[in-house]
Amino acid sequence: MGRPDPEEGQLPAPVKPPDGGWGWIVLLGCFVITGFSYAFPKAVSVYFKELMKDFHVGYSDTAWISSIMLAMLYGTGPVCSIMVNQFGCRPVMLIGGLLASAGMILASFTTNIIELYLTAGVLTGLGMALNFQPSLIMLGTYFDKRRPLANGLAAAGSPVFLSSLSPLGQVLLEKFGWRGGFLIMGGLLLNCCTCGAVMRPLDMGMKRKMGKAQDKYEAKEMLPIGGKSEEGISTTDGTKKGKKAKKKPKKGKKLLDFSIFSNRGFIIYTISKFILVLGLFVPPILLVNYAKDTGVPDTEAAFLLSIIGFIDIFARPACGMVAGLKWVRPHVAYLFSFSMLFNGLTDICSARASNYTGLVIFCVFFGISYGMVGALQFEVLMAIVGSQKFSSAIGLVLLIEAFAVLIGPPSAGRLVDALKNYEVIFYLAGSEVVLSALFLGVASYCCLNRGKKEPPPENNPTAGGGSDTEEAESDVQEAEEHSSNNHQPAHSTDNAMVAANEEANHVAEEQSGEGGGCPAGDGEVLARDGCNADQMVERDSF
């Protein structure tokens, strides 16, 4: 069966994500944005020693720069969602790129640490937040079948940029100082504007085609006879603006859709993600100091983070490929739960590592499990809520994670200062990650079993977080129902004509079988009964 032709008056097929084409350019842009968003706050730490000398502050004071960046990245999620729903992804990303670049450029002219907080921390952090969230939304728009692989490839930007921005920052610091380094870093962040420019909306032209095809479809159903359909098309074109005006309130998007909290899967994901973030970032933050306390030299201790980053680069795309398999994708939530369990057990088992070999083994397994978590976290959220509500969902999730980010690592640092024992911290962090994995797996299993016993209503496309294709099909069905309701009298008239023709033919056959013709004096009665078909067609068509 071929695809319906809109020019013939039929509704076109639902718009499907291309899973390629321009989507690969969008994926490249998302790769760059993800790299800047996650790696930049860590790469800025290269400049901390120089900032401490110039501004006469302590390490904890300069560390607030990275903390404010991350807090803005996570905490401004709802603001990003509102802006994306109101203005679209491309304008928001262009503004975000300008803000991120302006923040670092202005930071190069600051004279005290407070000004650094406001420029490099708040302004640059807000700019990266306005880039990160829309890029993920556009990625989910362009990919459906290959979305797990696309998410894995985009997430690989974080370790790639971390392994490149840190050495670059060191070179810039040595040659140009921290002010010159900040200025050049601000220029690099202008690439976020380029990435935002390639985020072309997918459904702009398709909506116009759908509207034109629907008008012709309605005209053909209303006036199916001869040249009357052309007259009907011109008539429907005249009323096109009125129909669009009536549909706008119904199709209007909410600035921030809180109805996702009625989705049990979203609640389970949010709780498990909050518990996960409490312990996920603690081991890599404390790893270098832990290695130094065990007697590992400084250079070898710093190399441990490079091992995690190198393994992470390959783990994220590989996990995305596995998650895209037909027999794995329906159970991607369980794969995500397994990756968290793997990560937590790695933390617990390595708590007693007392030599460099044991720490290297820990870094290998931590890099694999950390990459799996990074590749699957947003894929699972897309699968739960669907692409239409993903913009609101990710904003609310990031806001909740912001509290966990501000609680987890600082609390771990205070425990280290109080107990002088890293082993307890690794046990605690691993236990939190394992708890989040068990909660996600058990709660998802219970909800799935309950859903099988009590199947949801048929006309509820958002209950399971359907794909873009399913949502487009629902819009097409709604348009068909609208057209059928408006033109029900025309269909009933056509049915009456068909019934009259069949009754007339039946009477004519009986009379011809009896040898009786059509008497001349009974022209009107015979025309009504069906003997004179030509006269009947002319009268009905008139």
Side-chain angles (χ1 to χ4, degrees):
M1 293 179 64
R3 297 181 64 180
D5 187 4
E7 300 298 330
E8 295 179 359
Q10 296 180 356
L11 286 173
V15 181
K16 295 182 179 180
D19 280 310
W22 189 257
W24 297 118
I25 305 299
V26 173
L27 173 60
L28 178 61
C30 190
F31 175 88
V32 175
I33 295 297
T34 303
F36 275 124
S37 299
Y38 280 115
F40 201 83
K42 302 173 185 177
V44 173
S45 62
V46 174
Y47 302 96
F48 284 176
K49 286 187 177 181
E50 293 297 324
L51 294 175
M52 292 167 61
K53 293 179 182 179
D54 285 3
F55 295 141
H56 305 289
V57 294
Y59 181 82
S60 60
D61 296 322
T62 56
W64 272 103
I65 299 174
S66 298
S67 299
I68 292 173
M69 281 187 183
L70 291 174
M72 295 299 295
L73 179 65
Y74 286 94
T76 58
V79 177
C80 298
S81 297
I82 292 174
M83 294 184 67
V84 167
N85 290 335
Q86 182 68 23
F87 304 108
C89 292
R90 180 187 282 177
V92 173
M93 293 184 68
L94 291 175
I95 294 174
L98 293 175
L99 289 178
S101 176
M104 292 303 296
I105 293 174
L106 292 175
S108 64
F109 298 99
T110 55
T111 57
N112 56 65
I113 195 67
I114 302 299
E115 293 177 355
L116 270 178
Y117 293 161
L118 296 177
T119 54
V122 175
L123 200 58
T124 300
L126 177 61
M128 289 190 296
L130 294 178
N131 275 274
F132 176 63
Q133 186 171 325
S135 66
L136 292 177
I137 296 172
M138 289 301 298
L139 190 67
T141 302
Y142 271 86
F143 289 90
D144 185 15
K145 294 181 180 179
R146 296 178 179 175
R147 193 177 63 201
L149 175 61
N151 277 315
L153 291 173
S158 174
V160 170
F161 272 64
L162 181 60
S163 60
S164 58
L165 285 180
S166 295
L168 176 63
Q170 188 64 39
V171 172
L172 294 177
L173 178 63
E174 294 174 356
K175 290 188 176 182
F176 305 102
W178 70 267
R179 294 186 184 274
F182 275 22
L183 189 63
I184 295 174
M185 286 288 191
L188 289 177
L189 286 175
L190 284 174
N191 288 291
C192 295
C193 295
T194 305
C195 297
V198 303
M199 301 295 174
R200 184 173 62 193
L202 181 62
D203 57 347
M204 292 295 293
M206 303 307 298
K207 286 183 178 179
R208 289 195 292 267
K209 292 180 181 180
M210 289 281 290
K212 291 180 181 179
Q214 181 177 346
D215 292 338
K216 294 181 180 181
Y217 177 80
E218 292 176 354
K220 186 174 181 179
E221 290 296 319
M222 290 173 62
L223 300 170
I225 299 176
K228 298 285 184 177
S229 60
E230 297 178 358
E231 181 181 353
I233 293 173
S234 61
T235 304
T236 56
D237 290 337
T239 61
K240 184 177 181 180
K241 294 182 179 180
K243 292 182 180 179
K244 286 186 177 180
K246 292 180 181 179
K247 290 182 180 180
K248 280 184 180 179
K250 186 175 181 181
K251 296 290 184 181
K253 241 185 178 180
K254 297 180 181 179
L255 295 181
L256 193 61
D257 192 357
F258 289 97
S259 65
I260 55 176
F261 284 104
S262 62
N263 188 334
R264 289 176 298 177
F266 176 75
I267 298 296
I268 294 171
Y269 176 86
T270 304
I271 296 174
S272 63
K273 197 71 186 299
F274 178 84
I275 302 173
L276 171 69
V277 174
L278 287 175
L280 181 64
F281 301 120
V282 172
I285 291 176
L286 302 179
L287 178 62
V288 176
N289 291 332
Y290 178 40
K292 291 179 180 179
D293 288 349
T294 57
V296 177
D298 293 351
T299 55
E300 295 181 359
F303 184 70
L304 294 174
L305 292 178
S306 301
I307 296 175
I308 294 178
F310 181 78
I311 299 297
D312 195 4
I313 292 174
F314 298 98
R316 298 195 183 208
C319 185
M321 294 178 63
V322 173
L325 298 176
K326 293 182 179 180
W327 55 275
V328 176
R329 191 172 184 184
H331 311 289
V332 68
Y334 297 113
L335 181 61
F336 184 47
S337 178
F338 170 76
S339 65
M340 292 190 295
L341 181 64
F342 185 16
N343 185 271
L345 293 177
T346 301
D347 295 341
I348 294 174
C349 293
S350 62
R352 293 190 175 184
S354 58
N355 53 36
Y356 188 71
T357 303
L359 291 175
V360 169
I361 295 174
F362 160 74
C363 290
V364 171
F365 285 99
F366 185 86
I368 296 173
S369 59
Y370 189 79
M372 292 174 65
V373 172
L376 295 174
Q377 55 180 345
F378 297 117
E379 169 60 26
V380 174
L381 183 60
M382 288 181 187
I384 291 173
V385 301
S387 61
Q388 294 297 322
K389 294 186 177 183
F390 181 71
S391 59
S392 297
I394 188 175
L396 295 171
V397 168
L398 290 177
L399 176 61
I400 295 172
E401 287 183 17
F403 294 100
V405 169
L406 295 176
I407 293 173
S411 300
R414 290 183 180 180
L415 287 175
V416 170
D417 294 336
L419 302 177
K420 305 297 181 180
N421 188 353
Y422 287 94
E423 183 178 337
V424 176
I425 306 303
F426 274 75
Y427 279 131
L428 180 61
S431 300
E432 291 170 343
V433 177
V434 169
L435 177 62
S436 65
L438 295 177
F439 177 80
L440 178 63
V442 174
S444 299
Y445 179 77
C446 294
C447 288
L448 287 175
N449 284 348
R450 184 175 179 181
K452 290 178 181 178
K453 295 178 182 178
E454 299 176 5
E458 294 181 359
N459 297 326
N460 188 11
T462 60
S467 62
D468 295 338
T469 304
E470 295 172 350
E471 291 160 0
E473 288 176 353
S474 64
D475 292 338
V476 175
Q477 291 176 359
E478 182 181 355
E480 291 177 350
E481 293 175 358
H482 178 72
S483 61
S484 63
N485 292 335
N486 288 341
H487 312 305
Q488 186 175 359
H491 288 295
S492 60
T493 305
D494 295 339
N495 294 335
M497 290 176 57
V498 174
N501 288 333
E502 292 178 355
E503 182 179 357
N505 293 333
H506 181 67
V507 173
E509 289 176 359
E510 290 181 352
Q511 291 183 357
S512 62
E514 295 174 357
C518 295
D522 299 335
E524 295 178 1
V525 177
L526 294 175
R528 185 174 63 251
D529 291 339
C531 287
N532 196 340
D534 295 335
Q535 294 177 7
M536 183 200 70
V537 172
E538 291 176 0
R539 182 165 61 250
D540 288 340
S541 63
F542 178 80

